[in-house]
Amino acid sequence: MSEKGSDFPELVELNVGGVFYTTYLSTLTKEKDSLLGQMFNGSSKTKIVKDSKGKYFIDRDGVLFRYVLDYLRNQKLTLPENFHEKERLKQEAEYYQLPSLAKSITISLPKLASISNRIPPIANSNSLSPISGESRVPAYITLGYRGTFAFGRDGLADVKFRKLSRIIVCGKVSVCREVFKDTLNESRDPDRGVQDRYTARFFLKHTYLEQALDQLAEEGFKLVGCCGSGTNNVGEVKAGMDTEEARWQHYNEFIFERY
């Protein structure tokens, strides 16, 4: 038999598919007819299992459970801007017997399908780009990167003046996506609202500066400013890192404008 409602602590620790959560008992039982409500008010016939650390275990998708928990807390559906797993989340909502959450997800699904209907058709087959120069909005994008001067083992032999660790992208979110498309990494900038905002936390999935410059040129951007700096770091060198490479570093920024 399952535990009685009075047997559960006020703060409940959960292990959902290997992902840990802590929340109030009142949050889990907010919708009494849901599966979670039944499990934690003692009315469920299913026995709740605990893991080796004493957390209540639920064998479901642990990552998606955060959105289920957010819904129970706020009584509304709130998803990240680039959320692509609505169908899977709907399945979780149905499993937890949360019909209002499942309905909210269903209502939001057509928005994804309608995006392709808003893309204007190409006027003729000779067009070089589906986006004409007239439809491009004026914008600025800043590229920045930090690198090292790697001199190689033989002194000046095989000199690599531009060993990049990451190319950073700053600008309006919608414009950055338009220019860099699937090469844009947004993992450092999660859950930040609509795409009309600005960000300085995007970076590229590659470290090829010329590829980034080609993409900017294809979308009508021109270089309008740049700056660079080099430093001689005489501090502690990380283990396994070449002494000369760790010592000499540089940072550069390039400002591009489309008008």
Side-chain angles (χ1 to χ4, degrees):
M1 294 293 292
S2 62
E3 297 183 43
K4 296 180 180 179
S6 58
D7 294 334
F8 292 104
E10 183 180 2
L11 278 178
V12 181
E13 293 186 274
L14 302 172
N15 176 350
V16 185
V19 181
F20 300 151
Y21 293 92
T22 302
T23 187
Y24 283 111
L25 177 63
S26 58
T27 300
L28 296 173
T29 57
K30 185 168 290 185
E31 300 217 3
K32 298 179 181 180
D33 295 330
S34 69
L35 180 61
L36 290 170
Q38 296 175 41
M39 289 171 64
F40 290 96
N41 65 16
S43 63
S44 175
K45 296 180 180 180
T46 303
K47 182 180 180 180
I48 305 177
V49 180
K50 293 183 179 181
D51 65 9
S52 59
K53 296 183 179 180
K55 302 178 189 295
Y56 294 101
F57 179 75
I58 301 175
D59 190 18
R60 298 296 296 184
D61 191 309
V63 176
L64 293 180
F65 185 75
R66 63 172 289 194
Y67 305 111
V68 175
L69 199 55
D70 282 344
Y71 173 79
L72 291 174
R73 288 167 175 158
N74 305 314
Q75 292 296 288
K76 65 178 182 178
L77 176 65
T78 305
L79 297 175
E81 184 179 335
N82 291 319
F83 190 76
H84 300 299
E85 296 188 283
K86 290 186 178 181
E87 287 289 355
R88 291 185 60 192
L89 181 58
K90 183 182 176 183
Q91 292 178 6
E92 296 301 299
E94 292 171 346
Y95 172 80
Y96 290 114
Q97 299 174 24
L98 293 166
S100 53
L101 174 58
K103 182 179 179 181
S104 297
I105 298 169
T106 301
I107 293 173
S108 68
L109 282 173
K111 295 181 180 179
L112 292 177
S114 63
I115 291 177
S116 60
N117 297 329
R118 299 198 299 269
I119 299 176
I122 300 175
N124 58 69
S125 58
N126 296 324
S127 298
L128 295 177
S129 172
I131 302 177
S132 66
E134 294 181 355
S135 63
R136 289 172 171 167
V137 296
Y140 286 90
I141 285 181
T142 300
L143 289 188
Y145 70 83
R146 180 174 61 84
T148 61
F149 301 106
F151 288 92
R153 296 181 179 179
D154 300 324
L156 295 179
D158 191 28
V159 177
K160 300 177 182 177
F161 288 102
R162 202 179 63 208
K163 185 176 181 182
L164 310 186
S165 58
R166 179 173 293 173
I167 299 176
I168 302 169
V169 179
C170 311
K172 195 172 185 178
V173 170
S174 58
V175 177
C176 293
R177 290 172 179 164
E178 172 196 338
V179 173
F180 298 108
K181 302 176 177 64
D182 59 351
T183 64
L184 193 65
N185 192 325
E186 302 182 28
S187 62
R188 294 293 181 92
D189 187 51
D191 307 354
R192 298 289 180 175
V194 299
Q195 65 176 2
D196 286 336
R197 62 189 170 85
Y198 289 80
T199 182
R201 302 188 67 184
F202 286 168
F203 61 96
L204 299 183
K205 297 177 182 178
H206 60 80
T207 55
Y208 302 109
L209 184 60
E210 286 73 21
Q211 181 179 344
L213 299 179
D214 284 342
Q215 289 176 293
L216 285 160
E218 289 171 0
E219 297 299 333
F221 281 85
K222 294 183 178 181
L223 180 68
V224 293
C226 63
C227 64
S229 63
T231 60
N232 183 349
N233 178 19
V234 295
E236 182 180 355
V237 179
K238 294 182 180 179
M241 192 171 187
D242 181 82
T243 304
E244 286 298 316
E245 181 179 334
R247 181 172 297 170
W248 295 96
Q249 299 185 358
H250 59 95
Y251 182 79
N252 303 273
E253 282 193 351
F254 302 89
I255 303 174
F256 296 86
E257 180 185 17
R258 182 174 67 189
Y259 51 85

